[in-house]
Amino acid sequence: DQQVKQNSPSLSVQEGRISILNCDYTNSMFDYFLWYKKYPAEGPTFLISISSIKDKNEDGRFTVFLNKSAKHLSLHIVPSQPGDSAVYFCAASAFGNEKLTFGTGTRLTIIP
Amino acid sequence: NAGVTQTPKFQVLKTGQSMTLQCAQDMNHNSMYWYRQDPGMGLRLIYYSASEGTTDKGEVPNGYNVSRLNKREFSLRLESAAPSQTSVYFCASSEERGQGWSTDTQYFGPGTRLTVL
């Protein structure tokens, strides 16, 4: 049972445009959500997070939106840059449980 | 400050051989984790350790054992490797979750690429 789903395995976006990566979850106990970025041959690195008391969190070019009623979150990257080409993982956790549940990842390719 | 380090970076084993993957962190984190990453499967938790001296199974623990040697080190052992254990293995550590809305940010090592023939 995949509790965190990223239904788009890949996404291509023109440089300078907006990239939108989506993530859905099924477990209503999740209260903290994170996005990780992974380059080939490297470990994932933390990008941005959001708690369930918020519906939006921004950090520079990156914004995460959370829609609790739809159990959906999205990562917006504006403007997209070639260095953003990577695999992006969505992850979630529940209060009192340190474990993260990861999605399957979306490979983002920024086209120059 | 090296963060999370893993050794080795690459390893090729024959079916039935054993090996230990090493992980160490220098961030004074209490919690440590072992994941495997397979194509189309994302990151799946094998084992984790919430503190020194404790370990718990994750989503895919079969065929693996772990040891939390001390606060810094968390090793993963394959007693009898199988081709199904061919994967990339990541170790991670995280800050202790406190009261309220403290983060669960996990910091990952560079990974070990394991091939079992």
Side-chain angles (χ1 to χ4, degrees), chain B residues 8-117:
Chain B
K9 286 186 167 36
F10 302 95
Q11 184 71 48
V12 178
L13 293 177
K14 294 181 179 178
T15 297
Q17 288 185 316
S18 62
M19 79 161 295
T20 300
L21 281 65
Q22 306 286 354
C23 174
Q25 53 91 10
D26 61 3
M27 295 175 283
N28 201 35
H29 288 167
N30 283 324
S31 299
M32 298 186 74
Y33 312 82
W34 275 106
Y35 292 90
R36 60 179 288 174
Q37 185 196 4
D38 302 291
M41 302 293 287
L43 288 155
R44 292 183 294 169
L45 183 65
I46 304 171
Y47 270 94
Y48 70 103
S49 171
S51 61
E52 186 179 349
T54 67
T55 60
D56 285 288
K57 294 179 180 179
E59 182 185 354
V60 288
N62 291 344
Y64 305 95
N65 286 302
V66 290
S67 295
R68 183 73 183 268
L69 305 170
N70 47 55
K71 190 170 185 178
R72 289 188 65 247
E73 298 172 289
F74 189 37
S75 63
L76 178 72
R77 183 160 177 83
L78 287 71
E79 291 290 352
S80 179
S84 61
Q85 294 178 304
T86 293
S87 188
V88 181
Y89 291 85
F90 291 102
C91 177
S93 68
S94 69
E95 304 165 40
E96 181 176 352
R97 187 160 198 177
Q99 297 298 316
W101 304 102
S102 45
T103 69
D104 291 285
T105 305
Q106 292 185 13
Y107 299 85
F108 285 80
T112 295
R113 184 174 294 276
L114 175 67
T115 301
V116 183
L117 303 174

Side-chain angles (χ1 to χ4, degrees), chain A residues 7 12 14 16 18 21 35 38 43 45-46 56 62 64 69-70 82 85 89 91-92 99 106-107 110 112:
Chain A
N7 292 319
S12 294
Q14 288 278 345
I18 183 172
L21 293 87
W35 285 94
K38 185 184 179 305
T45 55
F46 169 72
K56 177 182 174 181
F62 303 91
V64 57
S69 60
S85 294
F89 290 99
K99 294 186 288 185
T106 296
R107 181 178 301 278
I110 305 303

